mmCIF file of all heavy atoms in Angstrom:
data_model
loop_
_atom_site.group_PDB
_atom_site.id
_atom_site.type_symbol
_atom_site.label_atom_id
_atom_site.label_comp_id
_atom_site.label_asym_id
_atom_site.label_seq_id
_atom_site.Cartn_x
_atom_site.Cartn_y
_atom_site.Cartn_z
ATOM 1 N N PHE A 320 4.769 9.523 -15.893
ATOM 2 C CA PHE A 320 5.514 8.478 -15.198
ATOM 3 C C PHE A 320 6.643 9.073 -14.356
ATOM 4 O O PHE A 320 6.823 8.724 -13.185
ATOM 5 C CB PHE A 320 6.074 7.492 -16.231
ATOM 6 C CG PHE A 320 6.494 6.179 -15.650
ATOM 7 C CD1 PHE A 320 5.560 5.251 -15.246
ATOM 8 C CD2 PHE A 320 7.840 5.867 -15.510
ATOM 9 C CE1 PHE A 320 5.940 4.033 -14.709
ATOM 10 C CE2 PHE A 320 8.239 4.649 -14.984
ATOM 11 C CZ PHE A 320 7.279 3.733 -14.573
ATOM 12 N N VAL A 321 7.394 9.999 -14.934
ATOM 13 C CA VAL A 321 8.489 10.644 -14.197
ATOM 14 C C VAL A 321 7.933 11.484 -13.053
ATOM 15 O O VAL A 321 8.499 11.507 -11.947
ATOM 16 C CB VAL A 321 9.341 11.508 -15.151
ATOM 17 C CG1 VAL A 321 10.359 12.336 -14.357
ATOM 18 C CG2 VAL A 321 10.066 10.638 -16.164
ATOM 19 N N TYR A 322 6.819 12.152 -13.300
ATOM 20 C CA TYR A 322 6.218 13.002 -12.266
ATOM 21 C C TYR A 322 5.828 12.190 -11.031
ATOM 22 O O TYR A 322 5.909 12.697 -9.903
ATOM 23 C CB TYR A 322 4.996 13.718 -12.836
ATOM 24 C CG TYR A 322 4.339 14.670 -11.861
ATOM 25 C CD1 TYR A 322 4.900 15.918 -11.594
ATOM 26 C CD2 TYR A 322 3.156 14.328 -11.204
ATOM 27 C CE1 TYR A 322 4.295 16.795 -10.696
ATOM 28 C CE2 TYR A 322 2.559 15.197 -10.316
ATOM 29 C CZ TYR A 322 3.136 16.422 -10.065
ATOM 30 O OH TYR A 322 2.537 17.291 -9.182
ATOM 31 N N LEU A 323 5.409 10.948 -11.221
ATOM 32 C CA LEU A 323 5.044 10.105 -10.083
ATOM 33 C C LEU A 323 6.233 9.899 -9.148
ATOM 34 O O LEU A 323 6.084 9.918 -7.920
ATOM 35 C CB LEU A 323 4.515 8.752 -10.573
ATOM 36 C CG LEU A 323 3.188 8.772 -11.329
ATOM 37 C CD1 LEU A 323 2.849 7.367 -11.822
ATOM 38 C CD2 LEU A 323 2.064 9.313 -10.469
ATOM 39 N N TYR A 324 7.407 9.696 -9.723
ATOM 40 C CA TYR A 324 8.617 9.578 -8.907
ATOM 41 C C TYR A 324 8.930 10.894 -8.202
ATOM 42 O O TYR A 324 9.234 10.922 -6.998
ATOM 43 C CB TYR A 324 9.816 9.167 -9.774
ATOM 44 C CG TYR A 324 9.881 7.694 -10.083
ATOM 45 C CD1 TYR A 324 9.466 7.199 -11.318
ATOM 46 C CD2 TYR A 324 10.386 6.787 -9.155
ATOM 47 C CE1 TYR A 324 9.550 5.847 -11.613
ATOM 48 C CE2 TYR A 324 10.472 5.437 -9.438
ATOM 49 C CZ TYR A 324 10.051 4.973 -10.666
ATOM 50 O OH TYR A 324 10.129 3.634 -10.957
ATOM 51 N N LEU A 325 8.859 11.994 -8.946
ATOM 52 C CA LEU A 325 9.227 13.292 -8.380
ATOM 53 C C LEU A 325 8.284 13.706 -7.263
ATOM 54 O O LEU A 325 8.724 14.154 -6.192
ATOM 55 C CB LEU A 325 9.232 14.357 -9.483
ATOM 56 C CG LEU A 325 10.207 14.137 -10.646
ATOM 57 C CD1 LEU A 325 10.103 15.283 -11.648
ATOM 58 C CD2 LEU A 325 11.633 14.007 -10.151
ATOM 59 N N ILE A 326 6.978 13.563 -7.485
ATOM 60 C CA ILE A 326 6.018 13.969 -6.456
ATOM 61 C C ILE A 326 6.105 13.050 -5.247
ATOM 62 O O ILE A 326 5.897 13.484 -4.104
ATOM 63 C CB ILE A 326 4.575 13.990 -7.027
ATOM 64 C CG1 ILE A 326 3.629 14.757 -6.101
ATOM 65 C CG2 ILE A 326 4.033 12.592 -7.268
ATOM 66 C CD1 ILE A 326 3.938 16.217 -5.982
ATOM 67 N N GLY A 327 6.443 11.773 -5.484
ATOM 68 C CA GLY A 327 6.589 10.846 -4.364
ATOM 69 C C GLY A 327 7.720 11.249 -3.439
ATOM 70 O O GLY A 327 7.566 11.256 -2.210
ATOM 71 N N VAL A 328 8.872 11.608 -4.009
ATOM 72 C CA VAL A 328 10.005 12.053 -3.192
ATOM 73 C C VAL A 328 9.701 13.389 -2.530
ATOM 74 O O VAL A 328 9.990 13.594 -1.342
ATOM 75 C CB VAL A 328 11.278 12.149 -4.069
ATOM 76 C CG1 VAL A 328 12.374 12.928 -3.342
ATOM 77 C CG2 VAL A 328 11.780 10.758 -4.420
ATOM 78 N N PHE A 329 9.105 14.308 -3.270
ATOM 79 C CA PHE A 329 8.835 15.652 -2.730
ATOM 80 C C PHE A 329 7.876 15.588 -1.545
ATOM 81 O O PHE A 329 8.085 16.241 -0.520
ATOM 82 C CB PHE A 329 8.264 16.540 -3.838
ATOM 83 C CG PHE A 329 8.141 17.986 -3.441
ATOM 84 C CD1 PHE A 329 9.270 18.779 -3.315
ATOM 85 C CD2 PHE A 329 6.895 18.542 -3.185
ATOM 86 C CE1 PHE A 329 9.163 20.121 -2.943
ATOM 87 C CE2 PHE A 329 6.782 19.876 -2.805
ATOM 88 C CZ PHE A 329 7.917 20.659 -2.689
ATOM 89 N N ILE A 330 6.813 14.789 -1.654
ATOM 90 C CA ILE A 330 5.848 14.649 -0.557
ATOM 91 C C ILE A 330 6.533 14.095 0.688
ATOM 92 O O ILE A 330 6.312 14.578 1.804
ATOM 93 C CB ILE A 330 4.679 13.733 -0.985
ATOM 94 C CG1 ILE A 330 3.783 14.458 -1.998
ATOM 95 C CG2 ILE A 330 3.852 13.295 0.225
ATOM 96 C CD1 ILE A 330 2.710 13.563 -2.588
ATOM 97 N N GLN A 331 7.368 13.078 0.499
ATOM 98 C CA GLN A 331 8.040 12.471 1.647
ATOM 99 C C GLN A 331 9.053 13.425 2.282
ATOM 100 O O GLN A 331 9.218 13.461 3.504
ATOM 101 C CB GLN A 331 8.734 11.176 1.216
ATOM 102 C CG GLN A 331 7.756 10.079 0.823
ATOM 103 C CD GLN A 331 8.460 8.809 0.398
ATOM 104 O OE1 GLN A 331 8.581 7.872 1.165
ATOM 105 N NE2 GLN A 331 8.948 8.784 -0.831
ATOM 106 N N ASP A 332 9.747 14.213 1.455
ATOM 107 C CA ASP A 332 10.684 15.196 1.995
ATOM 108 C C ASP A 332 9.967 16.246 2.831
ATOM 109 O O ASP A 332 10.421 16.615 3.921
ATOM 110 C CB ASP A 332 11.445 15.874 0.857
ATOM 111 C CG ASP A 332 12.601 15.025 0.330
ATOM 112 O OD1 ASP A 332 12.883 13.978 0.949
ATOM 113 O OD2 ASP A 332 13.206 15.411 -0.677
ATOM 114 N N ILE A 333 8.850 16.743 2.323
ATOM 115 C CA ILE A 333 8.090 17.756 3.062
ATOM 116 C C ILE A 333 7.561 17.169 4.370
ATOM 117 O O ILE A 333 7.617 17.801 5.432
ATOM 118 C CB ILE A 333 6.932 18.297 2.202
ATOM 119 C CG1 ILE A 333 7.483 19.006 0.957
ATOM 120 C CG2 ILE A 333 6.065 19.245 3.013
ATOM 121 C CD1 ILE A 333 8.442 20.136 1.239
ATOM 122 N N ASP A 334 7.041 15.947 4.313
ATOM 123 C CA ASP A 334 6.535 15.299 5.528
ATOM 124 C C ASP A 334 7.663 15.080 6.541
ATOM 125 O O ASP A 334 7.440 15.200 7.756
ATOM 126 C CB ASP A 334 5.894 13.957 5.168
ATOM 127 C CG ASP A 334 5.484 13.159 6.393
ATOM 128 O OD1 ASP A 334 4.484 13.516 7.032
ATOM 129 O OD2 ASP A 334 6.183 12.179 6.726
ATOM 130 N N LYS A 335 8.839 14.768 6.049
ATOM 131 C CA LYS A 335 9.983 14.500 6.924
ATOM 132 C C LYS A 335 10.567 15.776 7.520
ATOM 133 O O LYS A 335 11.381 15.722 8.453
ATOM 134 C CB LYS A 335 11.056 13.744 6.137
ATOM 135 C CG LYS A 335 12.147 13.091 6.976
ATOM 136 C CD LYS A 335 11.619 11.931 7.795
ATOM 137 C CE LYS A 335 12.737 11.207 8.524
ATOM 138 N NZ LYS A 335 12.242 10.097 9.368
ATOM 139 N N GLY A 336 10.163 16.934 7.004
ATOM 140 C CA GLY A 336 10.709 18.197 7.504
ATOM 141 C C GLY A 336 12.074 18.512 6.934
ATOM 142 O O GLY A 336 12.876 19.214 7.577
ATOM 143 N N VAL A 337 12.350 18.019 5.725
ATOM 144 C CA VAL A 337 13.636 18.283 5.086
ATOM 145 C C VAL A 337 13.739 19.766 4.737
ATOM 146 O O VAL A 337 12.749 20.410 4.391
ATOM 147 C CB VAL A 337 13.771 17.403 3.821
ATOM 148 C CG1 VAL A 337 15.008 17.782 3.013
ATOM 149 C CG2 VAL A 337 13.828 15.933 4.209
ATOM 150 N N ASN A 338 14.937 20.302 4.829
ATOM 151 C CA ASN A 338 15.183 21.685 4.428
ATOM 152 C C ASN A 338 14.647 21.904 3.011
ATOM 153 O O ASN A 338 14.957 21.125 2.102
ATOM 154 C CB ASN A 338 16.684 21.969 4.479
ATOM 155 C CG ASN A 338 17.013 23.422 4.160
ATOM 156 O OD1 ASN A 338 16.847 23.869 3.028
ATOM 157 N ND2 ASN A 338 17.496 24.138 5.162
ATOM 158 N N PRO A 339 13.843 22.958 2.782
ATOM 159 C CA PRO A 339 13.244 23.165 1.452
ATOM 160 C C PRO A 339 14.270 23.210 0.327
ATOM 161 O O PRO A 339 14.013 22.714 -0.776
ATOM 162 C CB PRO A 339 12.514 24.501 1.602
ATOM 163 C CG PRO A 339 12.200 24.595 3.066
ATOM 164 C CD PRO A 339 13.351 23.942 3.757
ATOM 165 N N LEU A 340 15.439 23.795 0.584
ATOM 166 C CA LEU A 340 16.469 23.855 -0.448
ATOM 167 C C LEU A 340 16.931 22.448 -0.811
ATOM 168 O O LEU A 340 17.078 22.113 -1.999
ATOM 169 C CB LEU A 340 17.647 24.699 0.041
ATOM 170 C CG LEU A 340 18.840 24.813 -0.926
ATOM 171 C CD1 LEU A 340 18.397 25.443 -2.251
ATOM 172 C CD2 LEU A 340 19.967 25.614 -0.301
ATOM 173 N N LEU A 341 17.161 21.611 0.206
ATOM 174 C CA LEU A 341 17.573 20.233 -0.058
ATOM 175 C C LEU A 341 16.470 19.462 -0.785
ATOM 176 O O LEU A 341 16.757 18.646 -1.674
ATOM 177 C CB LEU A 341 17.914 19.538 1.264
ATOM 178 C CG LEU A 341 18.352 18.065 1.180
ATOM 179 C CD1 LEU A 341 19.573 17.916 0.284
ATOM 180 C CD2 LEU A 341 18.624 17.499 2.572
ATOM 181 N N ALA A 342 15.215 19.710 -0.403
ATOM 182 C CA ALA A 342 14.098 19.029 -1.064
ATOM 183 C C ALA A 342 14.070 19.354 -2.561
ATOM 184 O O ALA A 342 13.838 18.474 -3.398
ATOM 185 C CB ALA A 342 12.779 19.429 -0.408
ATOM 186 N N PHE A 343 14.330 20.607 -2.923
ATOM 187 C CA PHE A 343 14.341 20.983 -4.342
ATOM 188 C C PHE A 343 15.579 20.439 -5.054
ATOM 189 O O PHE A 343 15.517 20.072 -6.229
ATOM 190 C CB PHE A 343 14.271 22.507 -4.485
ATOM 191 C CG PHE A 343 12.885 23.064 -4.320
ATOM 192 C CD1 PHE A 343 12.516 23.740 -3.166
ATOM 193 C CD2 PHE A 343 11.929 22.891 -5.321
ATOM 194 C CE1 PHE A 343 11.236 24.243 -3.005
ATOM 195 C CE2 PHE A 343 10.644 23.394 -5.167
ATOM 196 C CZ PHE A 343 10.290 24.070 -4.016
#
Side-chain angles (χ1 to χ4, degrees):
F320 197 74
V321 172
Y322 183 77
L323 293 176
Y324 280 101
L325 299 181
I326 195 65
V328 166
F329 188 72
I330 288 173
Q331 293 180 100
D332 280 353
I333 297 303
D334 174 74
K335 195 69 175 178
V337 172
N338 184 291
L340 178 60
L341 179 58
F343 280 106

